[in-house]
Structures are given as C-alpha cells and as structure tokens.
C-alpha cells in the first residue's frame, strides 16, 4: 500500500479534467477514508463503533457530458471509459466502475435521475489496506452526483447509498461504519455511532500531545471476503440460538447461561461483539476525559478479542501489535490494535506525539527484522467528512 501523501484540491484536478474532456467541471467533491479507533465487527450487529475520518480523500470532478454518453476516468493515468445511460446504472466492467454504477442506480431508486456525465476521479486514500478507500469513493461519487442534480441528499442517506452499492454492485456484505464516517466525519473529532438507530455524537480529539499512528501490515489474505461473510453468519447463528434480533440485545450473562447451546464458536464470536460494545463505551468516556491510558487499555483488549474470540487478525498484524509492547519506546504507546475488517490491513495506535516518529521507526524496523517485510505508516489527525470543493 502506498502511504505517500499527495495533496489533491479543486485546483489540482481541474486541469486534468479539462485535458480529458475539453471543458470545465461543474462540481468537485471530496470524501475521506477512515481509521476505526475501536468497535470492530460490531456495526452489522447493531452495535457501537468509534471511527474517525482520515485527512486522505477521494476527489470526484463532474460535469454534464457533451456526448450524450457517460465518460468516466478512474485515475489520472487511466483512459476514459464510455457507457450508455442504461449501462451506467447496471453492474458491469471494469470492476471499479461498479462503485459509480451502483450510486447512479441507488439515486435513481430515490427518484434522482443522473444525466450522462463526464467524470474524473483522483484519490490519495491508500488502496487495499483497510482504510476504506471504497467507502470514500462511493460517498464522494454520491456527493458529486447529487450536487450536480441539485438534489439535497443528506450525509447519512449518502452513506446508505454507498452501503447499498457495496451490497448490490460490489458484493461485499459490509456494515454501515465506513460509509457513515466518510459522509459524517468532522475535523478534529472522532465519531461514536450507534448502528442500531444511526444516532451519533462527535468526540473532540484535539490533544496535541497524542497522535494517531496507522501502520500497514502490507498483507491482505485472500480469505478475507469469505471470512467476513462467515463472521456475519456466526453472529446471526448466535442470535437465532439465543432467540434475539441482534447481538445488541445480548449480555455476557446471557452468553454464559447459553454457553452449551451456543457451542464454542458462536459463543466466542458473540462474546467478542458484546464485550467490544462495552469497550467502545469505555473508550468514549476515556477520550472525553483525556484519559489516554484507559483508552489504550480498551484498544489492547479489543485486539486480543479480535485475535482470540473473533479470529479476524493474522500473524503479521499480531506481530505489529506485539511490537508495540516490546520496542524500546513502548512506554510512549498508549494502545494499539488491528483496525478495519481484519485478515491483514493496518493497525492503529495512540502514541505520545513527542515520540511518534521514533515509535514508527522502531515499529517498522522491528517488523522488518521479525518478518522481513518492509512497510509504511502515517500519522493523522481526524479529518473532515464529505464535502463539495467546488460548485459552478
Ligand atoms: C469493514 C466493513 C465495516 C465493518 C468493519 C469491521 O470495514 O466495511 O462495515 O464491519 O469491516 O468492523
């Protein structure tokens, strides 16, 4: 995964748009990737999550097409693809175009007809490392297209459109977290979301002494997609056995009482979800009173539970998290855990700002020495959610 920062603005994308299409964009949108601080595999169980938006964004520039056909360019280096209005709202190739086709279809279902558009996409959200580059893409496309149509689609609705696109056009059975934070993120704030009713609150993260460090494991296991769906199934099975609509209604006592009926696997999966919801509450309270030690402990507990009970970590990610305890500067790390769906991807750590570069250096060195893998990191503040960069 390339973690190199490259700034993208309305000014940087406009000349490229003109180069491809020979006219100016009418709308330019941006939507961020995310890192989840805590609350993993809880969203599709009606539970709590606590992510923050990254400063990395997906940027979409659009204008009505001058040809009657859609013309889309997926990156600055791509050639345009051409689609008929009919094709633009049905699944097809190339694969990346489904993120746009899905959004156009979902807008159509809501009575919003997107005319043929010329569209250029540029992004600095690292791709394929669990930082929600897909959600950023969907939400950015939806933000641009709804604005172009003059339709007021609120952020949460744009998030739902993104999730529906994943389900129906990308065939990823994801929860709502990634799209929700991309649409609703707020600079200098984390967001605590109740996935049962989509109510949320912002929690300020402005302490200059604490930094968010994201380190890529540089691995993605091919099991990933099947593994995610399998975990969802385990959770649903646990609910049917317990006779409850979702694991939100479960308690640790209930799980203990029904341990035999649940069987070891469903018991452990459910225990992760129930305990993780409690850790989100603990973490949120710690964040609010600036108790970074307590926040870090909750993160460490989350990782152990994802590793042992939910079994979505992997050797490489566990190595990174283990290094956060053993590097010479370990005392500067409050806590670390895997972030995102798992089976590879990134870890997130809360680190004393004064030492964050040193911690990152030691982590990368340790990782290279232990596993022979070169990797990269980024230090980030909570970024803003989806927005328009320009409207003619
Ligand atoms: C992926 C999904 C999210 C969420 C996480 C795990 O990122 O897209 O909906 O389920 O995994 O917490």
């Amino acid at each position: 995964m390339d973690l190199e920062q490259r700034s993208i603005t309305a000014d940087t994308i406009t000349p490229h748009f003109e180069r491809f299409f020979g006219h100016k964009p009418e709308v330019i949108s941006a939507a961020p990737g995310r890192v989840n601080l805590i609350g993993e595999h809880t969203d599709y169980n009606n539970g709590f999550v606590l992510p923050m938006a990254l400063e990395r964004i997906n940027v979409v520039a659009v204008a009505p097409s001058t040809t009657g056909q859609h013309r889309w360019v997926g990156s600055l280096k791509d050639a345009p693809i051409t689609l008929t209005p009919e094709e633009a709202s049905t699944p097809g190739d190339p694969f990346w175009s489904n993120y746009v086709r899905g959004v156009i279809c979902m807008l159509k279902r809501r009575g919003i007809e997107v005319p043929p558009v010329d569209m250029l996409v540029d992004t600095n959200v690292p791709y394929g490392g669990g930082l929600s580059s897909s959600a950023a893409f969907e939400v950015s496309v939806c933000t641009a297209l709804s604005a172009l149509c003059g339709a007021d689609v609120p952020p949460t609705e744009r998030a739902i459109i993104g999730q529906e696109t994943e389900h129906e056009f990308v065939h990823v059975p994801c929860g709502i977290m990634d799209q929700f934070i991309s649409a609703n993120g707020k600079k200098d704030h984390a967001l605590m979301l109740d996935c049962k009713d989509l109510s949320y609150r912002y929690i300020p993260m402005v302490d200059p002494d604490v930094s968010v460090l994201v380190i890529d494991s540089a691995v993605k296991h091919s099991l990933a997609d099947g593994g995610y769906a399998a975990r969802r199934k385990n959770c649903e099975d646990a609910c049917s056995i317990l006779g409850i609509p979702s694991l939100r209604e479960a308690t640790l006592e209930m799980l203990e009482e029904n341990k035999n009926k649940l069987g070891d696997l469903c018991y452990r999966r459910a225990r992760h979800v129930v305990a993780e919801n409690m850790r989100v509450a603990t973490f949120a309270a710690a964040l609010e009173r600036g108790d970074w030690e307590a926040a870090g402990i909750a993160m460490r507990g989350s990782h152990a539970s994802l590793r042992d009970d939910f079994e979505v970590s992997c050797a490489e990610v566990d190595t990174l998290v283990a290094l956060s305890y053993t590097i010479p500067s370990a005392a500067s790390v409050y806590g670390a855990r895997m972030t995102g769906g798992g089976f590879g991807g990134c870890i997130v750590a809360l680190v004393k700002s004064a030492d964050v570069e040193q911690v990152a250096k030691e982590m990368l060195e340790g990782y290279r020495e232990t596993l022979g893998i070169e990797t990269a990191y980024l230090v980030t503040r909570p970024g803003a959610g989806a927005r328009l960069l320009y409207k003619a």
Side-chain angles (χ1 to χ4, degrees):
M1 180 164 77
D2 183 9
L3 294 176
E4 210 66 47
Q5 171 67 299
R6 177 175 60 89
S7 144
I8 308 174
T9 63
D11 287 341
T12 67
I13 198 168
T14 297
H16 291 286
F17 188 95
E18 289 179 295
R19 169 166 66 83
F20 278 109
F21 302 116
H23 58 102
K24 286 191 187 310
E26 285 192 8
V27 171
I28 304 176
S29 65
R34 63 99 187 92
V35 60
N36 188 21
L37 297 171
I38 198 160
E40 216 68 83
H41 288 273
T42 44
D43 61 354
Y44 54 83
N45 288 301
N46 274 355
F48 296 97
V49 294
L50 210 158
M52 59 177 242
L54 295 175
E55 293 161 311
R56 303 301 187 90
I57 49 175
N58 182 296
V59 175
V60 170
V62 283
S65 159
T66 47
T67 64
Q69 306 253 300
H70 288 267
R71 294 187 298 180
W72 304 342
V73 184
S75 86
L76 298 186
K77 293 188 213 106
D78 276 9
I81 59 166
T82 303
L83 296 92
T84 64
E86 171 62 25
E87 285 168 338
S89 60
T90 43
D93 290 326
F95 182 72
W96 69 263
S97 71
N98 287 304
Y99 292 96
V100 186
R101 295 171 190 242
V103 169
I104 292 178
C105 171
M106 302 314 156
L107 285 170
K108 198 170 179 174
R109 281 190 200 162
R110 288 161 173 82
I112 301 162
E113 281 289 340
V114 177
V117 290
D118 290 340
M119 169 182 297
L120 172 63
V121 186
D122 191 13
T123 183
N124 58 21
V125 184
Y127 168 76
L131 298 178
S132 294
S133 55
S134 309
F137 188 17
E138 292 144 9
V139 173
S140 187
V141 167
C142 192
T143 302
L145 293 180
S146 51
L148 187 74
C149 296
D152 179 23
V153 183
T156 297
E157 197 59 27
R158 279 181 265 144
I160 293 169
I161 287 174
Q163 185 193 26
E164 290 172 357
T165 297
E166 288 282 348
H167 290 183
E168 294 183 40
F169 280 67
V170 189
H171 305 296
V172 172
C174 64
I176 190 67
M177 168 170 70
D178 306 345
Q179 291 79 10
F180 196 94
I181 181 66
S182 183
N184 287 297
K186 186 172 171 184
K187 186 172 158 33
D188 291 333
H189 291 75
L191 183 157
M192 180 171 168
L193 170 67
D194 180 346
C195 300
K196 191 170 181 181
D197 60 7
L198 299 187
S199 60
Y200 62 97
R201 67 190 166 94
Y202 293 110
I203 305 178
M205 273 192 62
V206 284
D207 187 341
D209 295 334
V210 181
S211 290
V212 178
L213 171 65
V214 177
I215 305 179
D216 183 17
S217 70
V219 296
K220 187 168 162 54
H221 290 277
S222 52
L223 283 174
D225 301 344
Y228 187 89
R231 294 308 179 282
R232 281 195 79 139
K233 175 81 170 52
N234 295 155
C235 294
E236 283 159 19
D237 290 349
C239 289
S240 340
I241 295 168
L242 295 169
I244 51 176
S246 79
L247 286 177
R248 177 64 174 276
E249 285 70 42
T251 60
L252 289 178
E253 295 72 40
M254 191 189 282
L255 301 184
E256 282 313 315
E257 278 164 23
N258 293 281
K259 201 168 174 180
N260 287 338
K261 265 206 280 177
L262 284 165
D264 180 58
L265 191 73
C266 284
Y267 169 76
R268 284 186 296 117
R269 300 297 192 249
R271 181 168 66 180
H272 163 72
V273 174
V274 174
E276 185 78 352
N277 281 332
M278 291 156 60
R279 279 186 291 267
V280 175
T282 306
F283 184 93
L287 213 60
E288 269 161 346
R289 57 176 200 275
D291 184 347
W292 299 103
E293 300 285 348
I297 291 169
M299 289 173 83
R300 299 223 184 262
S302 169
H303 186 76
S305 174
L306 287 157
R307 181 190 61 210
D308 302 334
D309 274 357
F310 218 68
E311 297 180 280
V312 288
S313 189
C314 62
E316 295 86 347
V317 169
D318 290 342
T319 299
L320 277 177
V321 170
L323 280 165
S324 75
Y325 289 91
T326 57
I327 52 169
S329 301
S332 299
V333 183
Y334 291 109
R337 57 181 289 278
M338 58 157 271
T339 184
F343 309 102
C346 291
I347 70 155
V348 59
L350 291 179
V351 181
K352 289 182 183 155
S353 295
D355 304 323
V356 67
E357 295 298 331
Q358 180 62 23
V359 165
K361 184 167 164 277
E362 292 172 11
M363 293 283 295
L364 261 51
E365 275 168 14
Y367 197 55
R368 187 187 312 120
E369 278 164 24
T370 320
L371 295 178
I373 303 176
E374 287 290 344
T375 190
Y377 70 94
L378 64 87
V379 178
T380 181
R381 305 208 62 77
R387 60 220 180 248
L388 291 181
L389 300 181
Y390 171 77
K391 190 163 188 317

